[in-house]
Amino acid sequence: MEFIQSIGLSKFIAIDLETSGLNPKEDKIIEISACKFDNGKLTSSWTRLINPNIKLSHTVIQITGITDEMLQDKPSIESIIKDFILFIGDLPIVGHNIMFDLSFLQNNMIEYNMLFNDRMICDTFYLSKMYYYNFNSFSLSSLCQNLNIQIKESHRAEEDAKNSGLLFIEILKYEILKTNLKTAQKIVNCIEHYNVPNKKLFNNLISYLLEFGNTIETNDLDIDNKQLSFSSDYYFDEKYDENITIDDIFTDEGILKKNFDSFEIRDNQIGFCKDIHNNFLNNSILIAEAGAGLGKSYAYLLAALLYSQNNHTQIIISTNTHNLQNQLFDKDIPFIINALKYNCKATIIKGMNNYICLSRLEEVLRNITNKLNHLEALEIASLFIWLNNTSTGDISECNGFNKNRYNYLWFLINTKSDYCLTHRCNKYNGCFYKKIRDLAALSDILIVNHSMLISYYDNHDSFITDNSICIIDECHNFHSICKKQLSSQVTSQLFNEQKYDYESIIVSLKNKKLDRELIDVGREISHDFDEVYKLFSNLCYEIFQSFVLSPIQSEYMQNIFINKNN
């Protein structure tokens, strides 16, 4: 508790509101609660139901359990707000997705700015996205369940306020102090220009670390010193049997039965394995459909390894989904290699769009106020704890960053060939992707996805060797991915992103009070963007008219003509 006291959080107030909707300007507060915590324990609470003078929707009643009848004789928000202010005093405020609650309070409190602008405000939602980045959900109920915090009644203000406070204590006790100084400084640098929660918390944490030090002081971006989770080396003192055959492997006394007690001999699996092996021997192409339960991955892995070990070839396995990639790398390949006792290196590599680029991230942070709003800055801040731990830079590890919602933001910081495979990324030695790519070139077994296989197979800069053998699993998706990967696409979004980046540069130049003439030229170029966009839009419309709408109209007219004759 000494640490918690040092950063000003020995006492705090956790709050939660229930509302009639999501719009703070139109919807109303229907319940408000504040729970006071002292030295990690709940000491008192204050809760009121509020009469909003409107009928509640069926959805709100279902979610909260609060009905119109429960509110009809309750006080207005104006009549109880002073009691609320007295209860919270000048203590730090904690909540889950606290900006939502504060937006409603701001619309109902005249003295809001005076009371909250300089107060420490902490948000367990964004803290959880940072520290529990591997969790699948960041809802309050899901977080409490994962951390064994007992929940009695969710979506009621007092219970949610209490649980937010307990979650905050959990984070303070077991997570915050693990943050090293460099990581804390990166988080503060990311959010310091915005009025957002957790800013004072991390500033206080930095002061504490500077005064008392930290036992976990590491270089959070030192990729070379991190344990690799994308590449595995297999080495055995016992030499494998070069004369082993597929029939030897699948017998009752074979290596699969010895390593897998419940293994069942299936004729179809043996035949499939032999067909694949013969295909490699004859340097031909095999297209096969493997039914469910056949054990296709074991079959093609055994066939490929038998051929590869005797012919010194690289094995490429291409899949459509990351799930199958992970299953092969984490489960199937280790099992087969340990059974055969083959010395080899296996590496899993995804498309470069899946990996973060530290150089591009640094570039965004240097110009953050011109590029990002406050919510985007908070989303970027959710990456830094993960970056301190990852060895891959694969964003699928970090659920705290909402890639689906902030896809455009991810495209500002993910790996690009013109950065990470050139001198522009020298500071970080090509970041994560270059390290994985270099290891891939030395690997005996390489697991890729279809898009990457298509991109690199006939590329002069490819890490796929000329004498490699290739297995394409989940092949029913392959033709559509080929079409997508080998096509070029220009969209209105591309124009808008380019214009946005360009205008950000103009604003930056203006703020630095550079040559007026240069700024005027920049504005003219911005105007040219609009002209090019209009031309592009007209071209798209003409293509739509000619190749989409006209054939439909023609078919419609033919149908009318036929119907009239009938």
Side-chain angles (χ1 to χ4, degrees):
M1 290 300 175
E2 181 185 337
F3 159 68
I4 295 175
Q5 186 174 354
S6 297
I7 61 172
L9 285 165
S10 57
K11 294 181 181 180
F12 65 85
I13 300 286
I15 69 168
D16 187 75
L17 310 180
E18 300 301 331
T19 63
S20 64
L22 302 177
N23 189 333
K25 294 183 178 178
E26 296 178 3
D27 296 306
K28 306 295 182 182
I29 299 171
I30 59 175
E31 188 176 33
I32 182 170
S33 183
C35 294
K36 188 175 291 184
F37 286 80
D38 190 345
N39 287 318
K41 294 184 179 179
L42 176 64
T43 57
S44 59
S45 63
W46 180 95
T47 304
R48 298 290 186 275
L49 287 169
I50 308 295
N51 187 346
N53 291 314
I54 59 169
K55 285 189 70 65
L56 301 181
S57 69
H58 180 67
T59 303
V60 170
I61 293 171
Q62 271 193 321
I63 293 172
T64 64
I66 299 172
T67 64
D68 293 314
E69 291 73 21
M70 293 168 65
L71 303 178
Q72 61 185 2
D73 60 347
K74 300 302 177 185
S76 66
I77 185 68
E78 293 81 10
S79 63
I80 59 92
I81 203 69
K82 287 185 178 179
D83 291 339
F84 172 75
I85 293 169
L86 284 173
F87 184 83
I88 65 173
D90 60 355
L91 294 177
I93 297 293
V94 173
H96 198 72
N97 204 4
I98 190 73
M99 287 187 288
F100 174 82
D101 302 284
L102 294 180
S103 65
F104 274 85
L105 290 177
Q106 188 171 16
N107 276 276
N108 288 276
M109 295 175 65
I110 298 172
E111 57 274 82
Y112 174 87
N113 290 335
M114 181 181 70
L115 288 168
F116 287 95
N117 276 0
D118 292 326
R119 189 187 296 252
M120 186 191 295
I121 295 173
C122 303
D123 192 331
T124 52
F125 173 70
Y126 283 103
L127 289 172
S128 297
K129 279 159 64 71
M130 291 179 189
Y131 289 99
Y132 304 122
Y133 58 80
N134 58 324
F135 283 13
N136 292 321
S137 171
F138 300 97
S139 68
L140 181 59
S141 58
S142 177
L143 288 162
C144 289
Q145 186 175 4
N146 283 327
L147 296 168
N148 296 317
I149 298 172
Q150 190 175 359
I151 301 172
K152 292 181 180 177
E153 189 178 16
S154 60
H155 295 298
R156 286 301 299 267
E158 184 169 350
E159 190 67 17
D160 285 353
K162 182 192 78 172
N163 290 333
S164 297
L166 294 173
L167 173 59
F168 186 59
I169 290 165
E170 188 82 10
I171 295 170
L172 288 178
K173 279 185 177 179
Y174 303 110
E175 302 299 333
I176 290 281
L177 195 52
K178 294 179 185 176
T179 312
N180 65 49
L181 181 59
K182 289 182 180 179
T183 304
Q185 287 170 332
K186 288 179 185 297
I187 293 170
V188 168
N189 290 341
C190 185
I191 62 177
E192 65 179 339
H193 300 294
Y194 305 93
N195 183 21
V196 292
N198 302 326
K199 185 163 61 173
K200 286 194 173 184
L201 168 62
F202 282 104
N203 274 317
N204 288 0
L205 174 62
I206 288 172
S207 298
Y208 177 87
L209 294 175
L210 287 171
E211 183 175 354
F212 298 104
N214 189 305
T215 57
I216 317 173
E217 187 61 46
T218 59
N219 183 354
D220 51 337
L221 296 181
D222 186 2
I223 301 167
D224 291 329
N225 290 332
K226 292 180 179 176
Q227 185 177 357
L228 304 182
S229 59
F230 53 84
S231 187
S232 296
D233 287 296
Y234 298 91
Y235 178 79
F236 302 92
D237 292 327
E238 181 183 347
K239 192 176 181 182
Y240 77 96
D241 184 357
E242 294 181 3
N243 299 316
I244 195 169
T245 66
I246 291 173
D247 287 324
D248 295 332
I249 292 170
F250 284 97
T251 63
D252 284 330
E253 303 297 324
I255 58 171
L256 289 183
K257 190 69 174 176
K258 289 178 182 177
N259 287 273
F260 190 17
D261 292 337
S262 58
F263 176 76
E264 296 179 7
I265 295 174
R266 285 166 282 185
D267 291 338
N268 286 342
Q269 187 183 38
I270 298 170
F272 185 46
C273 185
K274 286 182 176 180
D275 287 343
I276 296 170
H277 190 252
N278 289 332
N279 176 75
F280 293 144
L281 290 172
N282 297 325
N283 195 27
S284 56
I285 297 172
L286 172 68
I287 300 174
E289 182 177 5
L294 183 133
K296 62 180 171 69
S297 59
Y298 282 1
Y300 66 61
L301 284 171
L302 284 164
L305 283 164
L306 283 175
Y307 178 82
S308 174
Q309 288 293 318
N310 293 323
N311 294 275
H312 308 293
T313 57
Q314 185 184 46
I315 302 169
I316 311 296
I317 303 173
S318 178
T319 75
N320 184 48
T321 62
H322 291 163
N323 286 340
L324 182 53
Q325 280 187 304
N326 294 332
Q327 178 190 316
L328 287 166
F329 184 75
D330 296 328
K331 181 182 175 185
D332 296 346
I333 288 174
F335 173 77
I336 295 297
I337 289 176
N338 284 311
L340 291 175
K341 294 185 169 31
Y342 282 173
N343 297 334
C344 65
K345 177 190 288 289
T347 299
I348 182 171
I349 182 169
K350 301 176 183 177
M352 65 171 63
N353 288 338
N354 293 281
Y355 300 96
I356 194 167
C357 171
L358 301 178
S359 297
R360 298 188 75 212
L361 173 61
E362 191 176 79
E363 190 174 280
V364 167
L365 294 175
R366 276 199 303 266
N367 196 29
I368 192 166
T369 52
N370 290 328
K371 283 186 174 288
L372 309 182
N373 62 35
H374 69 291
L375 293 175
E376 293 165 339
L378 282 169
E379 202 66 24
I380 290 289
S382 68
L383 293 167
F384 291 110
I385 303 297
W386 164 66
L387 276 173
N388 193 35
N389 297 311
T390 183
S391 63
T392 69
D394 180 356
I395 193 60
S396 66
E397 297 173 350
C398 184
N399 296 328
F401 182 86
N402 192 335
K403 184 170 174 282
N404 291 329
R405 183 174 180 180
Y406 291 97
N407 196 40
Y408 63 95
L409 192 56
W410 174 244
F411 284 130
L412 293 176
I413 59 175
N414 68 341
T415 297
K416 296 291 183 186
S417 57
D418 55 346
Y419 269 77
C420 302
L421 301 179
T422 69
H423 67 280
R424 299 174 77 177
C425 232
N426 281 349
K427 181 176 178 180
Y428 299 108
N429 193 26
C431 301
F432 296 95
Y433 179 72
K434 184 177 183 299
K435 187 171 186 65
I436 297 172
R437 193 176 176 283
D438 290 345
L439 279 171
L442 303 172
S443 296
D444 303 290
I445 304 173
L446 185 57
I447 307 168
V448 301
N449 59 34
H450 294 343
S451 297
M452 174 165 281
L453 178 68
I454 296 160
S455 300
Y456 280 103
Y457 191 74
D458 195 28
N459 191 316
H460 72 280
D461 196 30
S462 175
F463 46 73
I464 297 175
T465 59
D466 292 335
N467 68 334
S468 61
I469 56 175
C470 185
I471 300 162
I472 301 174
D473 203 341
E474 300 178 316
C475 196
H476 55 284
N477 305 103
F478 195 65
H479 67 287
S480 59
I481 293 171
C482 282
K483 181 180 178 181
K484 182 179 179 182
Q485 190 66 31
L486 299 174
S487 303
S488 297
Q489 189 177 57
V490 180
T491 65
S492 57
Q493 183 183 357
L494 178 65
F495 277 96
N496 291 332
E497 286 175 355
Q498 294 290 331
K499 184 181 177 184
Y500 176 79
D501 287 343
Y502 185 77
E503 287 179 341
S504 296
I505 295 170
I506 297 300
V507 170
S508 179
L509 293 174
K510 187 178 178 181
N511 291 339
K512 292 176 181 177
K513 298 180 180 179
L514 295 179
D515 192 328
R516 179 78 185 180
E517 186 177 340
L518 180 63
I519 294 171
D520 289 339
V521 171
R523 286 188 179 132
E524 289 177 17
I525 296 174
S526 181
H527 177 72
D528 291 340
F529 264 109
D530 294 332
E531 292 300 315
V532 172
Y533 179 69
K534 285 179 185 177
L535 291 171
F536 173 73
S537 298
N538 291 335
L539 175 63
C540 290
Y541 181 73
E542 288 177 16
I543 292 171
F544 177 76
Q545 284 278 11
S546 302
F547 295 99
V548 179
L549 199 57
S550 294
I552 293 172
Q553 290 174 338
S554 174
E555 185 178 348
Y556 176 68
M557 293 304 294
Q558 288 175 22
N559 286 336
I560 291 176
F561 181 72
I562 291 168
N563 288 334
K564 280 183 178 179
N565 286 341
N566 289 340

